[in-house]
């Protein structure tokens, strides 16, 4: 399965008592976009809208031209990895991943092969019977990514999943996601507080400020630009 194009057309949203947010942008099919911007600029809200965890007040979100209005999160072509990996502490690695395939855990051989492939892709081979408490922080995030992969959706959303990891381990995880992106041609959107992470792993970068997407360009073009309001101040250059 290859990635899906994501289009946000005049999408308006506001939390009760919060500042209004407005998003109009396109994420190309098969791109890997890092979202950067000041705290409160709307990065997490943007991917929550794409995932369907929030509904816009107005405007449209579409996947490959199909309007997603009214579509429940489970029925969108999206899977998401959070900073808190949301693993079940009493279930082993294999079972945590298997829940991405079947909540009933009724797994035919094809599904077991799919899980084994995802474990191999994420460096978890041989760890299937371990509990989350027996894993490192990076390994737990690998389990969350493997569970996302077995869902086999064309869009992968990551909400600062590696923020709690040290620099070296975070770089390893970014390399893992970058390799998966290249192998599967998924559309990937990563929320990051560190522009260096986006430069390292992503093909595109979107800068958010004051509740909207100010610019969305290929990585090198965005970081070298001098015409994007607020970007140089954010980067400290």
């Amino acid at each position: 399965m290859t990635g899906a194009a994501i289009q946000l057309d005049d999408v308006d949203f506001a939390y009760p008592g919060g500042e209004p947010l407005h998003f109009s942008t396109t994420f190309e099919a098969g791109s890997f976009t890092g979202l950067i911007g000041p705290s409160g600029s709307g990065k997490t809200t943007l991917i929550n809208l794409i995932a369907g965890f929030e509904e816009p007040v107005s405007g449209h979100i579409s996947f490959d031209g199909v309007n997603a209005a009214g579509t429940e999160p489970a029925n969108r072509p999206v899977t998401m990895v959070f900073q808190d990996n949301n693993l079940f502490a009493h279930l082993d690695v294999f079972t945590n991943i298997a829940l991405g395939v079947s909540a009933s855990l009724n797994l035919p051989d094809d599904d077991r092969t799919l899980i084994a492939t995802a474990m191999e892709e994420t460096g978890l081979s041989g760890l299937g019977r371990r509990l989350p408490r027996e894993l490192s922080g990076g390994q737990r995030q690998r389990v969350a990514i493997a569970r996302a992969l077995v869902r086999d959706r064309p869009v992968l959303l990551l909400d600062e999943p590696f923020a709690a990891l040290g620099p070296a381990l975070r770089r390893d995880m970014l390399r893992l996601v970058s390799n998966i992106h290249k192998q599967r041609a998924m559309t990937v959107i990563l929320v990051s507080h560190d522009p260096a992470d986006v430069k390292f792993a992503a093909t595109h970068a979107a800068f958010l400020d004051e509740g909207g997407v100010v610019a969305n360009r290929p990585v090198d073009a965005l970081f070298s630009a001098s015409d994007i309001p607020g970007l140089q101040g954010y980067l400290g250059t």
Side-chain angles (χ1 to χ4, degrees):
M1 181 178 291
T2 57
I6 307 167
Q7 179 78 37
L8 290 91
D9 294 310
D10 291 322
V11 172
D12 291 310
F13 180 83
Y15 294 104
E19 295 295 321
L21 305 173
H22 179 85
F23 302 113
S24 281
T25 195
T26 299
F27 298 97
E28 298 175 8
S31 61
F32 182 164
T33 305
L35 304 186
I36 60 171
S39 178
S41 58
K43 301 184 295 296
T44 293
T45 301
L46 174 55
I47 63 171
N48 281 339
L49 286 162
I50 293 171
F53 298 134
E54 303 286 359
E55 284 292 332
V57 174
S58 61
H60 303 287
I61 300 171
S62 60
F63 298 93
D64 284 340
V66 179
N67 192 344
T71 305
E72 293 296 320
N75 296 323
R76 296 192 180 204
V78 167
T79 189
M80 193 163 176
V81 178
F82 302 90
Q83 184 172 346
D84 179 355
N85 45 60
N86 291 335
L87 303 184
F88 292 93
H90 65 293
L91 300 178
D92 63 23
V93 166
F94 182 90
T95 308
N96 265 288
I97 297 171
L99 288 171
V101 179
S102 170
S104 68
L105 297 176
N106 182 17
L107 303 170
D109 288 344
D110 286 351
D111 286 344
R112 291 182 177 274
T113 299
L114 178 67
I115 294 165
T117 299
M119 291 179 65
E120 183 176 356
E121 282 185 278
T122 52
L124 294 169
S125 295
L127 302 179
R129 295 308 170 197
R130 293 195 185 181
L131 295 173
R133 66 172 179 269
E134 299 172 310
L135 304 176
S136 68
Q139 288 172 329
R140 287 192 291 273
Q141 287 297 56
R142 288 173 184 266
V143 176
I145 292 171
R147 185 170 59 194
L149 293 179
V150 298
R151 297 190 70 215
D152 199 24
R153 303 294 174 89
V155 177
L156 174 63
L157 306 176
L158 304 114
D159 188 9
E160 296 198 77
F162 315 131
L165 305 179
L169 185 53
R170 188 169 72 246
R171 186 60 58 95
D172 286 344
M173 297 304 296
L174 289 166
R175 187 178 291 109
L176 169 66
V177 173
S178 178
N179 289 338
I180 289 170
H181 165 252
K182 292 172 184 176
Q183 292 165 5
R184 297 197 174 206
M186 305 171 79
T187 303
V188 179
I189 303 177
L190 167 72
V191 173
S192 178
H193 68 280
D194 190 342
D197 290 351
V198 175
K199 289 181 181 180
F200 177 77
T203 63
H204 291 69
F207 175 61
L208 281 67
D209 197 14
E210 297 184 354
V213 179
V214 181
N216 184 355
R217 302 178 186 178
V219 164
D220 291 343
L222 185 132
F223 282 106
S224 64
S226 58
D227 63 334
I228 300 174
L231 177 62
Q232 300 307 319
Y234 169 73
L235 296 175
T237 58

